[in-house]
Amino acid sequence: MTAVYIHIPFCEHICYYCDFNKVFLEGQPVDEYVNLLIREMELATEGKQLETVETIFVGGGTPTTLTEKQIERLCSAVKRIFPLSKNAEFTFESNPGDLSVEKLSVMQASGVNRLSMGVQSFNNELLKKIGRIHTVQDVYQSIRNAEQVGFENLSIDLIFSLPGQSEADFKDTLEKALALDLPHYSAYSLIIEPKTIFYNLMQKGELILPSQDAEANMYDFLMSEMEKNGKKQYEISNFARTGFESRHNLVYWSNEHYYGFGAGAHGYLADRRYSNFGPLKQYMTPLSENKLPIFQVKDLSLKEEMEEEMFLGLRKVAGVNKKRFFEKFDRNLDEVFKDALETTSEKGWLIHDQQNVKLTREGRFLGNNVFREFL
């Protein structure tokens, strides 16, 4: 199975917490970028016997800053270049407020069948504080538009432990989100990344975040409420109605191969991880000369592959399957990670039987601590 990730780096506004590769939309050569992005896909697949593609994910940046014509051109190229399976999952990330009925109709006609919307909060004041330009009303309108056009597979992202956010506020956001009864939800604890506006504020002592206890309480409430509302947790930060799990993200967590296209995109093919140039000019120049824009390539050792299998796979609630591990690496998981399994099991973070190794409920609160034991 193969997956395809496509990066659209353009944003109308830069959110204060975002460290993804992005640029302000205004004045950018978007048409040229789309043309060269298609060229990259052609160059990367030229003369290759391609496996069937099961999932495509267009992320950003903000993919829905593209015009209807640009979306149509990109999607048409994807379908021309890659052999898509009959029921391929084709996701577009979007911003509430960008989703007009016209744009949604073009997306659906172009083969897009899943939308992932960056909502983050149902509190307008908090949205302003984190640099979002949409309102709660935009969220409701975008979902109405998507449902009107016929989209059934909708997901929204939420962030908790935001600056100035109380537990009561997060509970209110979660209640409003769940009242929509969507098939999929992602909810992440805020991480302050270098080179973001929030990081700079934190360095100056001007960013007041909720306490660790408050953050843990928010996550506890999240897990309980999702379960009560029939949204099964299948990964540390992801919840879905059965059958609506993100197949694309499961490719990452199952440590399977995928193409990465676009400025700053990462890919993983034939046990080799690679990344593209991030700055637009550095990405576009080689492509205009019919060369791939690859900045860095890393061939993984067997040890690195096995470690990645663990720290990615343990994000899934189902954990890592021991039989699959043996089939992939011809090594016994219990022997390779004997010490790490003992340490994490003693602390109550991990459980393992003959079939699987997985996080306990307590372990989900301390994922990074667990993953470090396997490195």
Side-chain angles (χ1 to χ4, degrees):
M1 183 179 96
T2 312
V4 172
Y5 174 78
I6 298 166
H7 193 76
I8 306 296
F10 309 110
C11 288
E12 286 182 31
H13 184 78
I14 305 299
C15 302
Y16 301 162
Y17 53 84
C18 179
D19 76 326
F20 292 121
N21 191 47
K22 75 275 180 191
V23 291
F24 279 114
L25 175 67
E26 199 174 332
Q28 298 294 345
V30 184
D31 268 326
E32 191 187 349
Y33 179 84
V34 171
N35 290 339
L36 290 172
L37 183 55
I38 292 166
R39 188 71 196 115
E40 185 192 358
M41 292 184 226
E42 289 168 343
L43 287 170
T45 56
E46 223 164 39
K48 288 185 183 169
Q49 185 68 42
L50 298 179
E51 282 185 60
T52 304
V53 169
E54 296 287 343
T55 81
I56 305 119
F57 193 101
V58 185
T62 314
T64 44
T65 55
L66 296 182
T67 63
E68 283 91 337
K69 278 187 179 174
Q70 288 160 349
I71 289 170
E72 203 169 14
R73 192 155 83 250
L74 178 62
C75 295
S76 172
V78 168
K79 290 188 286 187
R80 170 173 58 81
I81 296 165
F82 294 100
L84 303 188
S85 73
K86 223 177 190 177
N87 64 338
E89 176 190 270
F90 195 159
T91 305
F92 247 74
E93 270 188 341
S94 62
N95 258 4
D98 286 348
L99 294 175
S100 64
V101 168
E102 294 73 27
K103 191 170 279 191
L104 284 158
S105 300
V106 167
M107 287 161 75
Q108 193 184 54
S110 300
V112 177
N113 54 22
R114 184 176 183 272
L115 296 173
S116 176
M117 203 182 299
V119 170
Q120 318 318 2
S121 171
F122 279 80
N123 176 330
N124 280 330
E125 284 307 306
L126 207 48
L127 286 171
K128 277 184 206 163
K129 277 186 194 171
I130 64 174
R132 299 294 286 175
I133 54 172
H134 73 267
T135 64
V136 173
Q137 191 49 44
D138 290 331
V139 175
Y140 290 124
Q141 187 60 56
S142 293
I143 288 170
R144 276 197 297 272
N145 290 352
E147 288 173 343
Q148 182 187 326
V149 168
F151 278 96
E152 291 172 5
N153 198 347
L154 299 173
S155 175
I156 62 173
D157 285 2
L158 302 172
I159 302 179
F160 61 93
S161 198
L162 293 165
Q165 186 177 41
S166 65
E167 289 177 47
D169 176 83
F170 179 63
K171 285 180 180 180
D172 180 66
T173 273
L174 194 55
E175 280 163 17
K176 286 173 177 162
L178 285 166
L180 295 166
D181 194 26
L182 299 175
H184 190 283
Y185 295 86
S186 300
Y188 305 94
S189 168
L190 177 70
I191 296 171
I192 308 295
E193 301 283 6
K195 298 180 184 173
T196 61
I197 293 168
F198 274 169
Y199 183 81
N200 295 336
L201 288 173
M202 189 175 75
Q203 295 296 89
K204 295 177 192 168
E206 293 173 13
L207 194 70
I208 311 300
L209 295 169
S211 68
Q212 282 188 321
D213 283 348
E215 182 182 334
N217 290 343
M218 290 181 204
Y219 186 52
D220 189 51
F221 183 74
L222 169 73
M223 288 195 287
S224 301
E225 288 303 299
M226 285 290 174
E227 198 173 325
K228 273 187 215 167
N229 284 270
K231 308 297 182 280
K232 190 179 170 190
Q233 186 173 19
Y234 68 99
E235 190 268 349
I236 284 179
S237 303
N238 285 270
F239 307 82
R241 219 181 278 156
T242 302
F244 285 90
E245 298 84 358
S246 167
R247 284 158 53 199
H248 185 84
N249 284 337
L250 282 165
V251 167
Y252 299 150
W253 302 320
S254 301
N255 203 20
E256 291 172 10
H257 292 145
Y258 58 93
Y259 286 96
F261 298 113
H266 294 248
Y268 179 39
L269 297 170
D271 305 325
R272 169 178 286 185
R273 291 200 179 272
Y274 67 91
S275 56
N276 283 346
F277 285 105
L280 272 194
K281 194 178 177 191
Q282 284 178 270
Y283 168 76
M284 292 167 75
T285 300
L287 285 164
S288 61
E289 298 162 3
N290 284 328
K291 294 174 191 162
L292 285 169
I294 294 173
F295 164 64
Q296 206 169 33
V297 174
K298 179 171 173 53
D299 288 303
L300 298 180
S301 66
L302 177 64
K303 180 177 180 288
E304 286 168 327
E305 284 185 57
M306 291 190 295
E307 287 176 354
E308 287 193 357
E309 188 79 11
M310 296 308 293
F311 73 72
L312 290 167
L314 284 172
R315 291 192 63 89
K316 297 181 292 183
V317 169
V320 177
N321 182 273
K322 292 182 179 182
K323 185 181 173 208
R324 186 173 180 272
F325 185 95
F326 187 81
E327 285 165 358
K328 275 181 97 166
F329 306 114
D330 198 26
R331 297 283 189 284
N332 188 310
L333 190 157
D334 288 339
E335 289 169 13
V336 175
F337 294 109
K338 183 174 180 290
D339 293 344
L341 290 172
E342 280 178 12
T343 304
T344 49
S345 299
E346 279 168 17
K347 288 178 175 172
W349 296 346
L350 210 65
I351 47 172
H352 64 106
D353 52 29
Q354 287 183 313
Q355 277 82 41
N356 300 300
V357 182
K358 55 188 176 184
L359 295 175
T360 59
R361 196 177 196 276
E362 186 189 345
R364 289 177 217 166
F365 286 86
L366 299 157
N368 289 336
N369 299 47
V370 182
F371 307 149
R372 271 197 291 272
E373 295 290 335
F374 289 88
L375 297 177

